């Protein structure tokens, strides 16, 4: 039975496109059909060898109570994902559309191809190993409709993966980049108004295997006039694969030197769109704190000597190009100290040891003084994680 369904799909009875068909300017994945009713949201799902996670992901999209289409772009899967996707397309005609590509190596090209196929008023990107809460699109779409939003951030929760939290303290009908922390989240797992995406030609950088979504989302923030936040519902579930096979779980996915070089492309794009001043300094501060200076901490200690020099050189280049007085004021004392030490690798190592040290506390006494008052005594010690070659950080 399954074989006959797959055969039917491959002979044109399911919704499927391949190769150059998908890459062309917004072409249908099947024969011409009557124009469907207005689609609220096009969900774009890039897939490469995600067979164990597809049922959970696609089911979470199918149960969304909005008028949606699911555009799944298979990037040369070899684990049975392609055949399973064709089954979904055959059983959910008009909702699930599948595009098959030759292997590209990253998520950028599949997402761009999905955008070319999208027909919804909004687009949402979902990775195949992640999934949505049942009311996610309904809540985000309602927020967008109330406010005319160009972007809606839905709360992201991590499952054995770190998820952003600073921008999800409370719901926000309308926020600005300058007065909020939404720019701390540069993943593409958001609701975007498609008209804005197309008007400004916002696309993923297909040359990047890691960080292609940072480039896309940075560009979108530069043009979004209305940004909203849904923080009271778990919209997007970010999942770590148990086998560690996703790109972001690979050991080299956060190589400090490669990451900083990638970030520079996004910063260059941002400064081309945002004039000098408080807003640009606010956005640059995020990139310095989270993308550059953070690599002078634990990653710096873990790196070899030559890599340490490369990290320092890349950060120094960012400082030379974009460190203004306004950005410096937005940094904490540790980061400002790192900037002054960029020419001194040994000092950077000492600062990294201090930041990585563990504060140990022990209560040694607790009693009432006859003259009144509670007396508390204790000991505090600052222990470096690495004693060999590290500074002496033990205090009485």
């Amino acid at each position: 039975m399954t074989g006959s369904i797959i055969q039917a799909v491959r002979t044109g009875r399911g919704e499927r496109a391949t190769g150059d068909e998908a890459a062309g300017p917004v072409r249908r994945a099947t024969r011409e059909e009557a124009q469907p009713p207005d689609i609220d949201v096009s969900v774009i799902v890039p897939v490469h060898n995600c067979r164990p996670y597809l049922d959970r992901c696609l089911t979470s999209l199918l149960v969304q109570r909005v008028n949606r289409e699911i555009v799944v772009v298979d990037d040369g899967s070899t684990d049975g994902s392609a055949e399973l996707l064709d089954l979904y397309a055959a059983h959910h005609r008009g909702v699930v559309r599948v595009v098959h590509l030759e292997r590209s190596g990253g998520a950028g090209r599949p997402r761009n191809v999905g955008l070319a196929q999208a027909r919804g008023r909004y687009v949402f990107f979902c990775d195949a190993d992640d999934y949505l809460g049942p009311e996610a699109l309904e809540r985000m779409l309602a927020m967008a409709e109330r406010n005319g939003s160009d972007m809606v951030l839905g709360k992201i929760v991590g499952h054995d993966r770190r998820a952003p939290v600073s921008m999800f303290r409370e719901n926000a009908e309308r926020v600005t980049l300058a007065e909020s922390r939404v720019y701390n989240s540069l993943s593409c797992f958001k609701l975007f108004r498609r008209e804005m995406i197309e008007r400004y030609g916002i696309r993923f950088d297909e040359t990047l295997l890691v960080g292609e979504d940072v480039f896309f989302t940075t560009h979108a923030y530069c043009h979004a006039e209305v940004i909203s936040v849904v923080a009271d519902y778990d919209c997007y579930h970010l999942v770590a694969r148990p086998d560690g096979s996703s790109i972001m779980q690979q050991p080299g996915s956060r190589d400090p030197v490669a990451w900083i070089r990638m970030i520079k492309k996004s910063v260059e794009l941002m400064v081309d769109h945002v004039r000098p001043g408080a807003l640009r300094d606010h956005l640059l501060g995020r990139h310095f704190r989270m993308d550059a200076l953070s690599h002078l901490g634990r990653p710096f200690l873990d790196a070899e000597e030559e890599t340490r020099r490369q990290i320092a050189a890349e950060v120094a280049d960012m400082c030379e190009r974009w460190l203004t007085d306004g950005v410096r004021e937005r940094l904490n004392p540790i980061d400002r100290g790192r900037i002054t030490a960029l020419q001194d690798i040994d000092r950077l190592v000492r600062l990294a040891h201090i930041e990585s040290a563990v504060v140990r506390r022990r209560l040694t006494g607790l009693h009432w003084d006859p003259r009144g008052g509670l007396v508390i005594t204790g000991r505090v010690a600052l222990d470096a994680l690495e004693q060999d070659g590290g500074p002496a950080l033990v205090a009485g």
Side-chain angles (χ1 to χ4, degrees):
M1 179 65 178
T2 299
S4 63
I5 295 176
I6 294 175
Q7 182 61 32
V9 173
R10 288 179 171 170
T11 55
R13 290 161 53 194
E15 299 203 49
R16 189 175 190 267
T18 59
D20 294 335
E21 283 185 339
V26 192
R27 294 184 60 183
R28 295 295 177 261
T30 59
R31 64 186 185 279
E32 289 298 321
E33 297 179 298
Q35 183 66 26
D38 288 342
I39 296 171
D40 292 323
V41 183
S42 296
V43 185
I44 297 171
V45 186
V47 173
H48 176 70
N49 289 349
C50 294
R51 176 62 183 83
Y53 313 100
L54 282 176
D55 285 319
R56 180 180 62 189
C57 176
L58 294 177
T59 299
S60 79
L61 303 179
L62 288 167
V63 301
Q64 300 296 313
R65 293 179 294 186
V66 299
N67 191 359
R68 74 278 180 264
E69 65 173 359
I70 304 168
V71 182
V72 191
V73 184
D74 173 48
D75 194 45
S77 293
T78 58
D79 69 339
S81 294
E83 290 76 13
L84 179 61
L85 293 174
D86 287 341
L87 284 174
Y88 270 93
H91 284 284
H92 299 279
R93 295 179 183 277
V95 177
V96 177
R97 295 192 291 142
V98 179
V99 179
H100 294 279
L101 303 178
E102 296 295 327
R103 176 75 171 126
S104 71
R109 174 163 168 73
R111 288 179 179 144
N112 284 340
V113 168
L115 273 174
Q117 294 280 321
R119 300 172 294 188
R121 294 184 298 120
Y122 293 88
V123 294
F124 188 92
F125 299 96
C126 181
D127 280 357
D129 42 9
D130 300 330
Y131 62 98
L132 299 187
E135 301 175 19
L137 293 184
E138 182 180 5
R139 290 176 179 243
M140 285 189 283
L141 181 63
M143 178 71 82
E145 300 283 43
R146 284 198 304 272
N147 297 285
S149 309
D150 294 305
M151 292 175 62
V152 180
L153 285 71
K155 183 179 178 181
I156 301 173
V157 292
H159 301 274
D160 296 322
R161 288 187 65 181
R162 291 179 58 186
V165 296
S166 62
M167 68 295 304
F168 296 124
R169 305 298 185 189
E170 59 184 4
N171 282 2
E173 301 287 321
R174 289 169 171 250
V175 299
T176 65
L177 284 178
E179 299 174 351
S180 72
R181 296 183 177 182
V182 294
Y183 194 72
N184 284 355
S185 174
L186 292 180
S187 71
C188 65
F189 310 130
K190 299 169 176 61
L191 192 72
F192 298 90
R193 185 183 295 277
R194 188 164 69 88
E195 188 273 334
M196 177 192 71
I197 298 297
E198 296 303 329
R199 185 196 316 167
Y200 297 106
I202 301 171
R203 289 295 186 269
F204 294 87
D205 187 331
E206 297 183 13
T207 67
L208 298 173
L209 294 183
V210 175
E212 76 292 332
D213 56 338
V214 174
F215 188 86
F216 178 94
T217 308
T218 296
H219 196 180
Y221 274 127
C222 291
H223 295 292
E225 295 182 6
V226 180
I227 303 171
S228 306
V229 179
V230 174
D232 62 351
Y233 182 77
D234 294 345
C235 293
Y236 193 89
H237 293 264
L238 188 66
V239 180
R241 297 189 193 180
D243 60 2
S245 59
S246 71
I247 291 178
M248 289 306 299
Q249 290 177 260
Q250 298 300 307
S253 65
R254 286 287 183 145
D255 171 74
V257 177
W259 186 267
I260 297 172
R261 289 173 179 169
M262 176 275 295
I263 284 298
K264 287 181 182 179
K265 298 183 70 171
S266 295
V267 175
E268 288 168 350
L269 184 150
M270 185 272 289
V271 298
D272 282 345
H273 287 82
V274 181
R275 292 178 296 180
L279 174 58
R280 184 195 279 189
D281 288 343
H282 174 66
L283 303 182
L284 282 170
R286 179 257 187 255
H287 287 296
F288 273 96
R289 290 192 311 272
M290 302 177 67
D291 297 320
L293 297 170
S294 62
H295 288 107
L296 294 174
R298 190 71 223 178
F300 199 72
L301 293 179
D302 292 339
E304 300 293 334
E305 184 69 22
E306 180 56 31
T307 302
R308 289 176 178 175
R309 296 187 184 281
Q310 292 177 12
I311 294 171
E314 295 293 341
V315 175
D317 180 63
M318 285 189 63
C319 291
E320 183 176 346
R321 298 171 66 180
W322 299 306
L323 182 65
T324 66
D325 290 340
V327 173
R328 190 185 296 271
E329 292 172 0
R330 288 167 167 80
L331 302 178
N332 62 40
I334 291 178
D335 283 339
R336 290 197 292 269
R338 285 170 168 157
I339 288 173
T340 62
L342 285 173
Q343 303 303 317
D344 187 342
I345 300 299
D346 290 339
R347 185 180 175 195
L348 288 175
V349 171
R350 291 196 298 272
L351 289 171
H353 273 292
I354 292 171
E355 187 196 27
S356 300
V358 176
V359 179
R360 305 189 185 281
R361 308 172 182 87
R362 182 164 64 89
L363 182 67
T364 59
L366 185 67
H367 66 273
W368 286 102
D369 190 304
R371 293 168 294 181
L374 180 65
V375 177
I376 302 173
T377 58
R379 291 178 57 83
V380 177
L382 189 64
D383 296 340
L385 295 180
E386 296 181 9
Q387 297 297 330
D388 295 338
L393 296 176
V394 179

